Amino acid sequence: MRQETYSWKNNIWGTRINLYQDKTLLGKMKNFTFKPTSEVILGDEKYHFETKGLFEQYTRIVDKEGRIVGDIDYGAWSNKATVQLFDKKYFWKADDWMRLRWRLVDDKGVALDIQSSYAGKGEIRSEGGSELLLMTGIFLQNYFMSYGSVMLMLLLVLLCV
């Protein structure tokens, strides 16, 4: 199977993310400020990523009819997650210490290879991943980048006290 390359770009606040293949817009994600919900639009399809929990967070992926099509379970205090999407299981992990490179792996190997930057854009390489899986990868990258920022700010506050 041929490897495809995709890209995404955030707005300056990271609340709107667009997914592209070449220059063709494939999907949009809207992250709501102060709400643990993201909305994904892929053509005529709409999904909500609803994050719940405090110390043991998880995210439900719900379609426009309200059916749960996926789950994301996060490892407590780590940079790993397990994704269940349409009865297929994936494992998410950072591929470098700066958290700019990520992988989503299934039982056959790498499903998505994600390279991001602090400039709010990135690239995904995939062998036949669905657009929802691509958006799930972007959601996870955004989740862990935000999580890392919050943890850094907490550490700075604790050091200043």
Side-chain angles (χ1 to χ4, degrees):
M1 187 172 266
R2 193 171 81 100
Q3 192 172 62
E4 300 283 337
T5 301
Y6 304 87
S7 62
W8 84 87
K9 187 170 184 174
N10 294 351
N11 66 359
I12 193 165
W13 299 279
T15 57
R16 295 188 187 274
I17 303 167
N18 291 335
L19 172 67
Y20 301 94
Q21 185 172 30
D22 297 319
K23 295 184 185 218
T24 303
L25 179 65
L26 299 178
K28 298 178 182 184
M29 180 182 294
K30 180 178 180 182
N31 296 311
F32 296 97
T33 308
F34 305 114
K35 282 177 75 176
T37 303
S38 296
E39 179 182 81
V40 170
I41 299 172
L42 300 167
D44 294 336
E45 296 298 317
K46 187 184 280 190
Y47 300 91
H48 284 91
F49 287 63
E50 301 168 352
T51 302
K52 301 181 188 264
L54 184 59
F55 294 109
E56 292 187 33
Q57 287 193 330
Y58 63 94
T59 300
R60 296 276 183 255
I61 304 170
V62 180
D63 69 10
K64 63 184 173 185
E65 281 83 34
R67 294 181 300 238
I68 297 172
V69 298
D71 289 299
I72 304 171
D73 291 313
Y74 304 99
W77 308 103
S78 73
N79 58 356
K80 296 180 182 176
T82 303
V83 177
Q84 187 80 31
L85 188 61
F86 296 117
D87 298 323
K88 188 155 182 170
K89 194 176 223 176
Y90 302 90
F91 301 95
W92 172 264
K93 65 177 186 133
D95 208 27
D96 71 347
W97 67 274
M98 291 183 62
R99 294 181 169 202
L100 292 176
R101 205 172 150 174
W102 303 87
R103 288 185 184 233
L104 195 57
V105 180
D106 63 9
D107 59 347
K108 295 176 185 157
V110 176
L112 299 179
D113 189 10
I114 299 171
Q115 179 75 42
S116 61
S117 72
Y118 291 115
K121 58 184 177 178
E123 183 178 281
I124 301 174
R125 287 184 299 286
S126 173
E127 290 187 13
S130 71
E131 291 172 357
L132 182 56
L133 183 64
L134 295 169
M135 290 303 264
T136 301
I138 294 169
F139 173 84
L140 283 163
Q141 182 274 337
N142 197 45
Y143 173 89
F144 280 108
M145 290 294 276
S146 299
Y147 179 78
S149 298
V150 168
M151 295 310 282
L152 180 61
M153 289 178 65
L154 283 173
L155 180 64
L156 290 174
V157 167
L158 291 172
L159 290 173
C160 292
V161 174

